[in-house]
Amino acid sequence: MADAKIIDGKAFAEGLRSRVAEQVKELKASHHLTPGLAVVLVGQDPASQIYVRSKTKLTEEVGMKSVQHTLPVDTSQKELLTLIDGLNSDPEIHGILVQLPLPKQIDPQAVLGKIDPAKDVDGFHVINAGKLATGAPGLVPCTPLGCLMLIKDVLGKDLSGMQALVIGRSNIVGKPMAQLLLAESCTVTVAHSRTRDLAAEAQRADIIVAAVGVPELVKKDWVKPGATVIDVGMNRVPNPDDPNGKARLCGDVDFEGVKQVAGAITPVPGGVGPMTIACLLQNTVTAACALNDIEVPEV
Ligand code: NAD
């Protein structure tokens, strides 16, 4: 059997960002509307700093207004909630993202719950989770939204009746991913750390989305020939081959093995990762349009 098609998430995300840039141009020209995204970072977590820098850069690249608030690590919850209040009522800001994780004195649920659901471009607010679960239009978490776009790019628009396995039940990836696939009329199984026979669940699946955080968990003999495999995992593992001892990035899927049986597979890096920020930008356009009662421009 030929090796799987390697899904180029980087190229797909570039295409999506250029479509977002066209939408922004159109909104400026026809409605004098510049979508604005505010990103809030508390503390100096190095990985978070990298994410925030790249979000800011790509927001500016598509022509949107970008605002970054960097707060000291000892910021109180009250101070952060006050900042969010201000962003909620700022008419030039249409999307608010608070970078997680937050320092331990701050309750992330209180913060996510404070963001106006109409500006919740991460889609983590309970109102948006409820809308997704009940099929109402709302803002959808970026990573699963990006995964669904890649799946449809491979399998076409009609996923109806397909067996889908989501491994992982987090609020930010696993659960919304399962809801999105259910809304596409897939038969969805959600596996997690207590699942008894994960291999058997995987062997039945036409679509596997792995969002676990366990390096190379999904093995070649778990995968049905021809299945579409989406690897959300981002794990840093020791790399004895690197002369400087730099860690290697790998996913939750044994890529080298699984690509020999799957129909299509995302690599790590270069698969799901780039889609997350592209979907964040798309969500900001969606939010800006909804807040101003205008249709999202078709480009
Ligand atoms: P999480 O830790 O919140 O959830 C992990 C889930 O995996 C849990 O539901 C748990 O029950 C399940 N699990 C753990 N061990 C398991 C096992 N052995 N078998 C089956 N299920 C098991 O993680 P998360 O936030 O959902 O992230 C998952 C992975 O995706 C991480 O590697 C994370 O870095 C990555 N991630 C990537 C992006 C991206 O943009 N590419 C975005 C978010 C998360």
Side-chain angles (χ1 to χ4, degrees):
M1 192 174 164
D3 271 8
K5 170 190 158 75
I6 309 300
I7 302 169
D8 189 346
K10 191 164 173 261
F12 193 100
E14 266 166 30
L16 179 56
R17 291 201 309 274
S18 66
R19 292 195 292 283
V20 169
E22 287 298 314
Q23 290 172 322
V24 172
K25 218 158 125 188
E26 174 62 25
L27 287 173
K28 284 179 180 174
S30 307
H31 299 277
H32 305 290
L33 172 63
T34 303
L37 174 65
V39 177
V40 182
L41 173 64
V42 187
Q44 293 180 332
D45 176 63
S48 295
Q49 282 178 327
I50 295 171
Y51 289 139
V52 166
R53 251 199 314 271
S54 106
K55 282 168 187 167
T56 302
K57 178 174 161 273
L58 295 175
T59 305
E60 285 166 0
E61 253 176 50
V62 296
M64 298 202 287
K65 179 184 164 96
S66 167
V67 178
Q68 191 182 318
H69 291 271
T70 307
L71 307 180
V73 70
D74 59 355
T75 300
S76 70
Q77 179 165 312
K78 193 161 171 254
E79 286 167 317
L80 180 54
L81 295 182
T82 305
L83 172 66
I84 293 171
D85 257 341
L87 296 171
N88 280 343
S89 52
D90 183 340
E92 291 191 4
I93 295 298
H94 309 98
I96 303 169
L97 181 149
V98 178
Q99 185 66 45
L100 301 176
L102 289 164
K104 56 183 181 326
Q105 73 276 13
I106 300 176
D107 170 13
Q109 288 314 320
V111 172
L112 298 179
K114 187 72 172 174
I115 297 172
D116 177 350
K119 296 189 177 187
D120 168 39
V121 282
D122 254 342
F124 294 162
H125 195 289
V126 288
I127 295 273
N128 283 315
K131 284 183 171 174
L132 180 59
T134 53
L139 291 162
V140 176
C142 304
T143 301
L145 184 59
C147 292
L148 184 66
M149 287 180 189
L150 296 180
I151 292 167
K152 286 187 161 182
D153 193 47
V154 173
L155 295 174
K157 282 200 174 123
D158 185 10
L159 307 180
S160 145
M162 291 189 184
Q163 291 277 357
L165 174 70
V166 179
I167 315 177
R169 56 173 163 181
S170 71
N171 288 340
I172 64 172
V173 191
K175 281 183 201 158
M177 186 74 247
Q179 295 289 0
L180 284 171
L181 289 165
L182 194 56
E184 296 294 335
S185 302
C186 290
T187 302
V188 183
T189 303
V190 182
H192 46 78
S193 53
R194 304 289 178 91
T195 296
R196 289 212 178 113
D197 189 350
L198 188 52
E201 300 295 346
Q203 279 153 0
R204 283 190 287 127
D206 303 305
I207 299 165
I208 298 176
V209 181
V212 192
V214 176
E216 298 175 349
L217 174 75
V218 177
K219 304 290 184 234
K220 178 181 169 183
D221 60 352
W222 293 16
V223 174
K224 181 160 100 174
T228 298
V229 180
I230 305 293
D231 190 352
V232 183
M234 289 214 287
N235 310 295
R236 292 198 183 276
V237 293
N239 184 6
D241 296 338
D242 189 279
N244 304 317
K246 217 175 141 213
R248 176 174 70 92
L249 188 65
C250 80
D252 293 339
V253 175
D254 170 14
F255 181 79
E256 290 306 323
V258 171
K259 79 168 189 219
Q260 295 169 29
V261 285
I265 183 169
T266 56
V268 176
V272 173
M275 291 300 292
T276 299
I277 298 184
C279 288
L280 172 72
L281 303 176
Q282 176 73 82
N283 273 355
T284 306
V285 167
T286 305
C289 291
L291 283 159
N292 288 281
D293 222 1
I294 52 186
E295 270 188 40
V296 178
E298 293 235 8
V299 292

